[in-house]
Amino acid sequence: MTQTPPPPNADQIARLLPSALRDAAEPGGPRLLDALLAAVDRQRLLLTDDIRRAYDDLFIDSCADWAVPYIGALLGLGPDAERLEVAHAVALRRRKGTPAALEDFAFAVTGLIARVGEGWQTTLWAQRLGHPPPPRTASLDLRDRASLRRLGTPFERSRRGVRPAGPWTPRAVTAVVWPWSVRQLVDTEAAPFDQSTLKGRFALHPLGIAAPLYLRPREARVASEGADPVNRTGDEADAPTRATYRVLEALAGPGDITYGESLTLSADHPLATPPGAEPPLIALSTKEGPVPWERLRFGSVPATGTVTAPPAETQVLVDAQRGFVQLGSGLNGPVWATWYRAVPGRVGALAALADAAPAARVVVEVSTAGGPGIATNLTDAFQLAEARSAGLAPEESVAGAPDVEIRLLAGDRLAAPPAQSFTPRLPHWRIVAPPLVTPVVVGDLGLDLAGAHISLEGFFLKGSLTAGEHLAGLHLEGLTMDPGAGGLRTHRDAWELALSATRCVLGPVRAELSVRPVELTECVVDGRLRRFRACGPADQGVPTDAVGAVNRFGPVLHADSVTFAGPVRADAVDARDCVFADGVDVVQQQEGCIRTSYLGRELSTPARHPATYRSRTEPAPAFVSDAFESSGYYCLELEPEHPLLSAAGDGGEVGAYHRTRRASRIRRLRRRIGEFTPLGLTAEVSVAPWEER
């Protein structure tokens, strides 16, 4: 590939002109000719860029978003066809009529993993003596432990009698879609319990909460022409299923599980982690080094009380139901784990995709492992960043680009630094965790860098976040706060603060009226403070306002696709596609507008809210779960069809997961599934039930 040479500057172009056309530079200023040529060159660059864009728009992989429906129209696709479906339309049509093609088509349309079940393989058939087919007369083998464990699941292998409707008929095809995806936590430091009373016990989740393990599904992609097909096994390893003990037993072959006080999975079990390979379930390391698979035992590890220690000192007991581990007496923490969690959309730290900024003028890397030039904690990181900023001119800063970037290199547990209050040399700061790195900052984080704009991206925070009165701007992106441990708060005199958050999970927001509104986009603001429990109902927190005032006057709020759990009390509100689950109350009813949203109950009599457009107060939203960090955390139920699933301005669902567009994509799959099934077959789409509530 040839590289385009850099464009010549005005002085180089001027040298190409005859000397008679060149004018002398004015004293203390540039030549007039240079200014004219610079203006011409800017237009030339714009024209060159337009020509290149026109060429890129010829291909679905590089075209602009507006060009996708036009390319899809050339293939006979509707205007709602997305890029992935258009890219693989020809390849999928050539393979239509096969279960693999239908599963690939479902992924291309919805972006979710699907599994196809064929009715003729799940119904009982009469045996023909003349031409006997493969045995299809046994409905259920009671000796087959795996078949018993799969009863009532999408992976059921038993045969049933023919029914006129549903999947139990030879002419039925059913596509089961999982409405969540699985994200990987790579070498994330586990949260220790109180080691004085619960020595050797850890929670795998960075915030120290219960978090069941999930299986790593097969590679989610569409097999293109000429590419290797996706290897499908037809069992739980094909889908983002929860790692229950039923699943562990269903996947096991003869002799793969040894029973006792805890379960032992052999190295031949499909979920075993081969040395040096990516784990399909979990991989652990301690202070002594990696823990081999043969030293893992699976059993119950409660959050309180005693637990039966592993049989050997160097073994680890893993509770896949709760996400807790208990070390043997011969092992010592800390514990690092690679494992998987379910997420319903791109909200929060686990789904963040924040990349490092290569143009940052000052870079400080943070890792508890240390190294040359690497800070081991955030306190040293701030000091090192200020020291490296010496001599750099603040007037050369560019808005939107970080001057100072603090990169969190590993999934460490980092203590929050003391409240940072100073005047930085450079105005734009950024603290970021790259993709697949999920660190957690433990403790209250206070930031008051005078005149600075700070961006926090891609990590967990177990504590409150406070913006000082001298801070100019605070932007959060892909951040997960523990709502029960603290919320987001601004100083009551922060009149000039620009506060914004995108794709975050936040605790209660407390801000004062200022010259700039609080801007929230695709966030969950949790004021109910309910804690998720894997074994039992969620813990009841102490409800509080989702948005309220620090002291005197509530803030002006601008919200786009936000789910507010708890009352919202503000000076004025301008919102669209939001869910105010517990109501909204404003002072200035003449300002703002709430468009295509759910308003919730009335907080005052008479009701005080701004003008509304196509907003509703009923029916109430049906959430999968309102417990923090469950897999369906403030997701709207997809079945049965709820009015809020199509109440947004673009016909999608309202709330934090608006741009995930799960409901509209599944509706599109239901409309088009018949195109990929043979004539005479009845095709339907079902949604897999949520495994955490």
Coordinates of all heavy atoms in Angstrom, one line a residue, residues 611-689:
A611 N -43.0 20.9 30.1 CA -43.9 20.5 29.0 C -43.5 19.1 28.5 O -42.3 18.7 28.6 CB -43.8 21.5 27.8
T612 N -44.4 18.3 28.1 CA -44.1 16.9 27.7 C -44.6 16.7 26.3 O -45.5 17.4 25.8 CB -44.8 15.9 28.6 OG1 -46.3 16.1 28.5 CG2 -44.4 16.1 30.0
Y613 N -43.9 15.8 25.6 CA -44.3 15.4 24.2 C -44.2 13.9 24.1 O -43.1 13.3 24.3 CB -43.4 16.1 23.2 CG -43.6 15.7 21.8 CD1 -44.7 16.0 21.1 CD2 -42.6 14.9 21.2 CE1 -44.9 15.6 19.8 CE2 -42.8 14.4 19.9 CZ -43.9 14.8 19.2 OH -44.1 14.4 17.9
R614 N -45.3 13.3 23.8 CA -45.4 11.9 23.6 C -44.8 11.1 24.8 O -44.1 10.1 24.6 CB -44.8 11.5 22.3 CG -45.5 11.9 21.1 CD -44.8 11.6 19.8 NE -44.5 10.1 19.7 CZ -43.8 9.5 18.8 NH1 -43.1 10.3 17.9 NH2 -43.6 8.3 18.8
S615 N -44.9 11.6 26.0 CA -44.5 10.9 27.2 C -45.7 10.3 27.9 O -46.8 10.8 27.7 CB -43.7 11.9 28.1 OG -42.6 12.4 27.5
R616 N -45.4 9.3 28.7 CA -46.5 8.6 29.3 C -46.2 8.3 30.8 O -45.1 8.4 31.3 CB -46.7 7.2 28.6 CG -45.5 6.3 28.7 CD -45.8 5.0 28.0 NE -46.0 5.1 26.6 CZ -46.9 4.5 25.9 NH1 -47.8 3.7 26.5 NH2 -47.1 4.6 24.6
T617 N -47.3 8.1 31.6 CA -47.2 7.8 33.0 C -47.6 6.4 33.3 O -47.4 5.9 34.4 CB -48.0 8.8 33.8 OG1 -49.4 8.7 33.3 CG2 -47.6 10.2 33.7
E618 N -48.1 5.6 32.3 CA -48.4 4.2 32.5 C -48.4 3.5 31.2 O -48.5 4.2 30.1 CB -49.8 4.1 33.1 CG -50.9 4.8 32.4 CD -52.3 4.6 33.1 OE1 -52.3 4.4 34.3 OE2 -53.3 4.8 32.3
P619 N -48.2 2.2 31.1 CA -48.0 1.4 32.3 C -46.6 1.5 32.8 O -45.7 2.0 32.1 CB -48.2 0.0 31.7 CG -47.8 0.1 30.2 CD -48.2 1.5 29.9
A620 N -46.4 1.1 34.0 CA -45.0 1.2 34.7 C -44.0 0.2 34.0 O -44.4 -0.8 33.5 CB -45.1 0.8 36.2
P621 N -42.8 0.6 34.0 CA -41.8 -0.2 33.3 C -41.6 -1.5 34.1 O -41.7 -1.6 35.3 CB -40.5 0.6 33.3 CG -40.7 1.6 34.5 CD -42.2 1.8 34.5
A622 N -41.4 -2.6 33.3 CA -41.1 -3.9 33.9 C -39.6 -4.2 33.7 O -39.2 -4.5 32.6 CB -42.0 -5.0 33.2
F623 N -38.9 -4.0 34.8 CA -37.4 -4.3 34.7 C -37.1 -5.7 35.0 O -37.8 -6.4 35.8 CB -36.7 -3.4 35.7 CG -36.8 -1.9 35.5 CD1 -37.4 -1.1 36.4 CD2 -36.3 -1.4 34.3 CE1 -37.5 0.3 36.2 CE2 -36.4 0.0 34.1 CZ -37.0 0.8 35.0
V624 N -36.1 -6.2 34.3 CA -35.6 -7.6 34.6 C -35.1 -7.7 36.0 O -35.5 -8.6 36.7 CB -34.5 -8.0 33.6 CG1 -33.9 -9.3 34.0 CG2 -35.0 -8.0 32.2
S625 N -34.4 -6.7 36.5 CA -33.9 -6.6 37.8 C -33.5 -5.2 38.1 O -33.0 -4.5 37.3 CB -32.6 -7.5 38.0 OG -32.1 -7.4 39.3
D626 N -33.7 -4.8 39.4 CA -33.3 -3.5 39.9 C -32.1 -3.7 40.9 O -31.8 -2.7 41.6 CB -34.4 -2.7 40.4 CG -35.1 -3.4 41.6 OD1 -34.7 -4.5 41.9 OD2 -36.0 -2.8 42.2
A627 N -31.5 -4.8 40.9 CA -30.4 -5.1 41.9 C -29.1 -4.8 41.1 O -28.8 -5.2 40.0 CB -30.4 -6.5 42.3
F628 N -28.2 -4.0 41.8 CA -27.0 -3.5 41.2 C -26.1 -4.7 40.7 O -25.8 -5.7 41.4 CB -26.2 -2.7 42.3 CG -24.8 -2.3 41.8 CD1 -24.7 -1.5 40.7 CD2 -23.7 -2.7 42.5 CE1 -23.4 -1.0 40.3 CE2 -22.5 -2.3 42.1 CZ -22.3 -1.5 41.0
E629 N -25.6 -4.5 39.5 CA -24.7 -5.4 38.8 C -25.3 -6.8 38.5 O -24.5 -7.7 38.2 CB -23.4 -5.6 39.6 CG -22.4 -4.4 39.4 CD -21.9 -4.3 38.0 OE1 -22.5 -3.7 37.1 OE2 -20.8 -4.9 37.7
S630 N -26.6 -7.0 38.6 CA -27.1 -8.2 38.0 C -27.1 -8.2 36.5 O -27.0 -7.1 35.9 CB -28.6 -8.4 38.5 OG -29.4 -7.4 38.1
S631 N -27.3 -9.3 35.8 CA -27.1 -9.3 34.4 C -28.2 -8.5 33.7 O -28.0 -8.0 32.6 CB -27.1 -10.7 33.9 OG -28.4 -11.4 34.2
G632 N -29.4 -8.4 34.3 CA -30.5 -7.6 33.7 C -30.7 -6.3 34.4 O -31.8 -5.8 34.5
Y633 N -29.6 -5.6 34.9 CA -29.7 -4.4 35.7 C -30.4 -3.3 35.0 O -29.9 -2.7 34.0 CB -28.3 -4.0 36.1 CG -28.1 -2.8 37.0 CD1 -28.8 -2.7 38.2 CD2 -27.3 -1.8 36.7 CE1 -28.7 -1.7 39.0 CE2 -27.1 -0.7 37.5 CZ -27.8 -0.6 38.7 OH -27.7 0.5 39.5
Y634 N -31.6 -3.0 35.4 CA -32.5 -2.0 34.9 C -32.7 -2.1 33.4 O -32.8 -1.1 32.6 CB -32.0 -0.6 35.2 CG -32.4 -0.3 36.7 CD1 -31.4 -0.2 37.7 CD2 -33.7 -0.1 37.0 CE1 -31.8 0.1 39.0 CE2 -34.1 0.2 38.3 CZ -33.1 0.3 39.3 OH -33.4 0.5 40.6
C635 N -32.8 -3.4 32.9 CA -33.2 -3.7 31.5 C -34.7 -3.9 31.5 O -35.3 -4.5 32.4 CB -32.5 -4.9 31.0 SG -30.8 -4.7 30.5
L636 N -35.3 -3.4 30.4 CA -36.8 -3.6 30.2 C -37.0 -5.1 29.8 O -36.2 -5.6 29.0 CB -37.3 -2.7 29.2 CG -37.3 -1.2 29.6 CD1 -37.8 -0.3 28.4 CD2 -38.2 -0.9 30.8
E637 N -38.0 -5.7 30.3 CA -38.4 -7.0 29.9 C -38.8 -7.0 28.4 O -39.5 -6.1 28.0 CB -39.6 -7.6 30.7 CG -39.2 -7.9 32.1 CD -38.7 -9.3 32.3 OE1 -38.3 -9.9 31.3 OE2 -38.6 -9.8 33.5
L638 N -38.3 -8.0 27.6 CA -38.6 -8.0 26.2 C -39.9 -8.8 25.9 O -40.4 -8.6 24.8 CB -37.4 -8.7 25.5 CG -36.1 -7.9 25.6 CD1 -35.0 -8.7 24.9 CD2 -36.2 -6.6 24.9
E639 N -40.3 -9.6 26.8 CA -41.5 -10.4 26.6 C -42.3 -10.4 27.9 O -41.7 -10.6 28.9 CB -41.2 -11.8 26.1 CG -40.6 -11.9 24.7 CD -40.4 -13.3 24.3 OE1 -40.3 -14.2 25.1 OE2 -40.2 -13.5 23.1
P640 N -43.6 -10.2 27.8 CA -44.4 -9.8 26.6 C -44.1 -8.4 26.2 O -43.5 -7.6 26.9 CB -45.8 -9.9 27.1 CG -45.7 -9.7 28.6 CD -44.4 -10.2 29.0
E641 N -44.5 -8.1 25.0 CA -44.2 -6.8 24.4 C -44.8 -5.7 25.3 O -46.0 -5.6 25.6 CB -44.8 -6.7 23.0 CG -44.5 -5.4 22.2 CD -43.0 -5.4 21.7 OE1 -42.4 -6.5 21.7 OE2 -42.5 -4.4 21.3
H642 N -43.9 -4.7 25.7 CA -44.3 -3.6 26.5 C -44.3 -2.3 25.7 O -43.5 -2.1 24.9 CB -43.3 -3.5 27.7 CG -43.8 -2.7 28.8 ND1 -43.7 -1.3 28.8 CD2 -44.3 -3.0 30.0 CE1 -44.2 -0.8 30.0 NE2 -44.6 -1.8 30.7
P643 N -45.2 -1.4 26.0 CA -45.3 -0.2 25.2 C -44.0 0.6 25.3 O -43.6 1.3 24.4 CB -46.4 0.6 25.9 CG -47.3 -0.4 26.4 CD -46.4 -1.5 26.9
L644 N -43.2 0.5 26.4 CA -42.0 1.3 26.5 C -40.9 0.8 25.6 O -39.9 1.4 25.4 CB -41.5 1.3 28.0 CG -42.4 2.1 29.0 CD1 -41.8 2.0 30.4 CD2 -42.6 3.5 28.5
L645 N -41.1 -0.4 25.1 CA -40.0 -1.0 24.2 C -40.1 -0.3 22.8 O -39.1 -0.5 22.0 CB -40.3 -2.5 24.0 CG -40.0 -3.4 25.2 CD1 -40.4 -4.8 24.9 CD2 -38.6 -3.3 25.7
S646 N -41.1 0.5 22.5 CA -41.2 1.2 21.3 C -41.6 2.6 21.5 O -42.1 3.3 20.6 CB -42.2 0.5 20.3 OG -43.4 0.4 20.9
A647 N -41.4 3.2 22.7 CA -41.8 4.5 23.0 C -40.8 5.6 22.7 O -41.1 6.8 22.7 CB -42.2 4.6 24.5
A648 N -39.6 5.3 22.3 CA -38.6 6.3 22.0 C -38.9 7.0 20.7 O -39.7 6.6 19.9 CB -37.2 5.6 21.9
G649 N -38.2 8.1 20.5 CA -38.4 8.9 19.3 C -38.2 8.2 18.0 O -38.8 8.5 17.0
D650 N -37.2 7.2 18.0 CA -36.9 6.5 16.8 C -37.6 5.1 16.8 O -37.3 4.3 16.0 CB -35.4 6.3 16.7 CG -34.8 5.6 17.9 OD1 -35.5 5.2 18.8 OD2 -33.6 5.3 17.8
G651 N -38.6 4.9 17.7 CA -39.3 3.6 17.7 C -38.6 2.5 18.6 O -39.1 1.4 18.6
G652 N -37.5 2.9 19.2 CA -36.8 1.9 20.1 C -37.3 2.0 21.5 O -38.2 2.7 21.9
E653 N -36.6 1.3 22.4 CA -36.9 1.3 23.8 C -36.4 2.5 24.5 O -35.4 3.1 24.0 CB -36.4 0.0 24.5 CG -34.9 -0.1 24.5 CD -34.5 -1.4 25.2 OE1 -34.5 -1.5 26.4 OE2 -34.1 -2.4 24.4
V654 N -37.0 2.9 25.6 CA -36.5 4.1 26.3 C -35.6 3.6 27.4 O -35.6 2.4 27.8 CB -37.7 4.9 26.9 CG1 -38.5 5.5 25.8 CG2 -38.6 4.0 27.8
G655 N -34.8 4.5 27.9 CA -33.9 4.2 29.0 C -32.5 4.0 28.6 O -32.1 4.4 27.5
A656 N -31.6 3.5 29.6 CA -30.2 3.5 29.4 C -29.7 2.6 28.2 O -28.7 2.9 27.7 CB -29.5 3.1 30.7
Y657 N -30.5 1.6 27.9 CA -30.1 0.7 26.8 C -30.8 1.0 25.5 O -31.0 0.1 24.7 CB -30.4 -0.7 27.3 CG -29.7 -1.1 28.6 CD1 -30.5 -1.0 29.8 CD2 -28.4 -1.4 28.7 CE1 -29.9 -1.3 31.0 CE2 -27.8 -1.6 29.9 CZ -28.5 -1.6 31.1 OH -27.9 -1.9 32.3
H658 N -31.2 2.3 25.4 CA -31.9 2.7 24.1 C -31.1 2.3 22.9 O -31.7 1.8 21.9 CB -32.2 4.2 24.2 CG -32.6 4.8 22.9 ND1 -33.8 4.4 22.3 CD2 -32.0 5.7 22.1 CE1 -33.9 5.1 21.2 NE2 -32.8 5.9 21.0
R659 N -29.8 2.6 22.9 CA -29.0 2.4 21.6 C -28.6 1.0 21.4 O -28.0 0.7 20.4 CB -27.8 3.4 21.6 CG -28.3 4.8 21.3 CD -27.1 5.8 21.4 NE -27.5 7.2 21.1 CZ -28.3 8.0 21.8 NH1 -28.7 7.6 23.0 NH2 -28.6 9.2 21.4
T660 N -28.8 0.1 22.4 CA -28.6 -1.3 22.2 C -29.7 -1.9 21.2 O -29.4 -2.8 20.5 CB -28.7 -2.1 23.5 OG1 -27.7 -1.5 24.4 CG2 -28.3 -3.5 23.3
R661 N -30.9 -1.3 21.2 CA -31.9 -1.6 20.3 C -32.3 -3.1 20.3 O -32.4 -3.7 19.2 CB -31.5 -1.1 18.9 CG -31.3 0.4 18.8 CD -30.9 0.8 17.4 NE -31.9 0.4 16.4 CZ -31.7 0.2 15.1 NH1 -30.5 0.4 14.7 NH2 -32.6 -0.1 14.3
R662 N -32.3 -3.7 21.4 CA -32.6 -5.2 21.5 C -34.0 -5.5 21.0 O -34.2 -6.4 20.1 CB -32.4 -5.7 22.9 CG -31.0 -5.6 23.4 CD -30.9 -5.9 24.9 NE -31.8 -5.0 25.6 CZ -32.7 -5.4 26.6 NH1 -32.7 -6.6 26.9 NH2 -33.4 -4.5 27.2
A663 N -35.0 -4.7 21.4 CA -36.4 -5.1 21.1 C -36.6 -4.9 19.6 O -37.2 -5.7 18.9 CB -37.3 -4.2 21.9
S664 N -36.2 -3.8 19.0 CA -36.4 -3.5 17.6 C -35.6 -4.5 16.7 O -36.1 -4.9 15.7 CB -36.0 -2.1 17.3 OG -34.6 -1.8 17.5
R665 N -34.4 -4.9 17.1 CA -33.7 -5.9 16.3 C -34.3 -7.2 16.4 O -34.3 -8.0 15.4 CB -32.3 -5.9 16.8 CG -31.4 -4.7 16.4 CD -30.1 -4.7 17.1 NE -29.2 -3.6 16.6 CZ -28.1 -3.3 17.0 NH1 -27.6 -3.9 18.1 NH2 -27.4 -2.3 16.5
I666 N -34.8 -7.6 17.6 CA -35.5 -8.9 17.6 C -36.8 -8.9 16.8 O -37.2 -9.9 16.2 CB -35.8 -9.3 19.1 CG1 -34.4 -9.6 19.8 CG2 -36.7 -10.5 19.2 CD1 -34.5 -9.9 21.3
R667 N -37.5 -7.8 16.9 CA -38.7 -7.7 16.0 C -38.4 -7.8 14.5 O -39.1 -8.5 13.8 CB -39.4 -6.3 16.3 CG -40.2 -6.3 17.5 CD -41.2 -5.1 17.5 NE -40.4 -3.8 17.5 CZ -40.1 -3.1 18.6 NH1 -40.5 -3.5 19.8 NH2 -39.5 -2.0 18.5
R668 N -37.2 -7.2 14.1 CA -36.8 -7.3 12.7 C -36.5 -8.8 12.4 O -36.8 -9.3 11.3 CB -35.6 -6.4 12.5 CG -35.0 -6.6 11.1 CD -33.9 -5.5 10.8 NE -33.2 -5.8 9.6 CZ -33.7 -5.6 8.4 NH1 -34.9 -5.0 8.2 NH2 -32.9 -5.9 7.3
L669 N -35.8 -9.5 13.3 CA -35.5 -10.9 13.1 C -36.8 -11.7 13.0 O -36.9 -12.6 12.1 CB -34.7 -11.4 14.3 CG -34.3 -12.9 14.2 CD1 -33.5 -13.2 13.0 CD2 -33.6 -13.3 15.5
R670 N -37.8 -11.4 13.8 CA -39.1 -12.1 13.6 C -39.7 -11.9 12.3 O -40.3 -12.8 11.7 CB -40.0 -11.7 14.8 CG -39.7 -12.3 16.1 CD -40.8 -12.1 17.1 NE -40.6 -12.8 18.3 CZ -40.2 -12.3 19.5 NH1 -40.1 -10.9 19.6 NH2 -40.0 -13.0 20.6
R671 N -39.6 -10.7 11.8 CA -40.2 -10.4 10.4 C -39.5 -11.1 9.3 O -40.1 -11.5 8.3 CB -40.2 -8.9 10.2 CG -41.1 -8.1 11.1 CD -41.3 -6.7 10.4 NE -40.0 -6.0 10.1 CZ -39.4 -5.2 10.9 NH1 -39.9 -5.0 12.1 NH2 -38.3 -4.6 10.5
R672 N -38.2 -11.3 9.5 CA -37.4 -11.8 8.3 C -36.9 -13.2 8.5 O -36.2 -13.7 7.6 CB -36.2 -10.9 8.1 CG -36.5 -9.4 7.8 CD -35.4 -8.7 7.2 NE -34.8 -9.4 6.1 CZ -33.6 -9.3 5.6 NH1 -32.7 -8.6 6.3 NH2 -33.2 -10.0 4.6
I673 N -37.2 -13.9 9.6 CA -36.7 -15.2 9.8 C -37.2 -16.2 8.7 O -36.5 -17.2 8.4 CB -37.0 -15.7 11.2 CG1 -36.3 -17.0 11.5 CG2 -38.5 -15.9 11.4 CD1 -36.4 -17.5 12.9
G674 N -38.4 -15.9 8.2 CA -38.9 -16.8 7.2 C -38.1 -16.9 5.9 O -38.2 -17.8 5.1
E675 N -37.3 -15.8 5.6 CA -36.5 -15.8 4.4 C -35.4 -16.9 4.4 O -34.9 -17.3 3.4 CB -35.8 -14.4 4.2 CG -36.8 -13.3 4.1 CD -36.1 -11.9 4.0 OE1 -34.9 -11.9 3.7 OE2 -36.8 -10.9 4.2
F676 N -35.0 -17.3 5.6 CA -33.9 -18.3 5.8 C -34.3 -19.7 6.2 O -33.5 -20.5 6.6 CB -32.9 -17.7 6.7 CG -32.1 -16.6 6.2 CD1 -32.6 -15.3 6.1 CD2 -30.8 -16.8 5.7 CE1 -31.8 -14.3 5.6 CE2 -30.1 -15.8 5.1 CZ -30.6 -14.5 5.1
T677 N -35.6 -19.9 6.1 CA -36.1 -21.3 6.4 C -36.8 -21.9 5.2 O -37.4 -21.1 4.4 CB -37.2 -21.2 7.6 OG1 -38.2 -20.3 7.2 CG2 -36.5 -20.8 8.9
P678 N -36.7 -23.2 5.0 CA -37.3 -23.8 3.8 C -38.8 -23.6 3.7 O -39.4 -23.4 4.8 CB -36.9 -25.2 3.9 CG -35.7 -25.2 4.8 CD -35.9 -24.1 5.7
L679 N -39.3 -23.7 2.5 CA -40.8 -23.6 2.4 C -41.5 -24.7 3.1 O -41.0 -25.8 3.2 CB -41.2 -23.6 0.9 CG -40.7 -22.5 0.1 CD1 -41.1 -22.7 -1.4 CD2 -41.4 -21.2 0.5
G680 N -42.6 -24.4 3.8 CA -43.4 -25.4 4.5 C -43.1 -25.4 6.0 O -43.8 -26.1 6.7
L681 N -42.0 -24.8 6.4 CA -41.6 -24.8 7.8 C -42.1 -23.6 8.5 O -42.1 -22.5 7.9 CB -40.1 -24.9 8.0 CG -39.4 -26.2 7.4 CD1 -38.0 -26.2 7.8 CD2 -40.1 -27.4 8.0
T682 N -42.5 -23.7 9.7 CA -42.9 -22.6 10.5 C -41.8 -22.1 11.4 O -41.3 -22.9 12.2 CB -44.1 -23.0 11.4 OG1 -45.2 -23.4 10.6 CG2 -44.6 -21.8 12.2
A683 N -41.4 -20.9 11.3 CA -40.2 -20.4 12.1 C -40.7 -19.4 13.1 O -41.6 -18.6 12.9 CB -39.2 -19.7 11.1
E684 N -40.1 -19.4 14.3 CA -40.4 -18.5 15.3 C -39.1 -18.1 16.1 O -38.1 -18.9 16.0 CB -41.4 -19.0 16.3 CG -41.0 -20.3 17.0 CD -42.1 -20.7 18.0 OE1 -43.2 -20.4 17.8 OE2 -41.7 -21.5 19.0
V685 N -39.2 -17.0 16.8 CA -38.1 -16.5 17.6 C -38.5 -16.5 19.0 O -39.6 -15.9 19.4 CB -37.6 -15.1 17.1 CG1 -36.5 -14.6 18.0 CG2 -37.1 -15.2 15.7
S686 N -37.7 -17.0 19.9 CA -38.0 -16.9 21.4 C -36.7 -16.3 22.1 O -35.6 -16.4 21.6 CB -38.3 -18.3 22.0 OG -37.1 -19.2 21.9
V687 N -37.0 -15.7 23.2 CA -35.9 -15.0 23.9 C -35.6 -15.9 25.1 O -36.5 -16.3 25.9 CB -36.4 -13.6 24.4 CG1 -35.3 -13.0 25.2 CG2 -36.7 -12.8 23.2
A688 N -34.3 -16.2 25.3 CA -33.9 -17.0 26.4 C -34.2 -16.3 27.7 O -34.1 -15.1 27.8 CB -32.4 -17.3 26.3
P689 N -34.6 -17.0 28.7 CA -35.0 -16.4 30.0 C -33.7 -15.9 30.7 O -32.7 -16.5 30.7 CB -35.7 -17.5 30.8 CG -35.1 -18.8 30.2 CD -34.9 -18.5 28.8

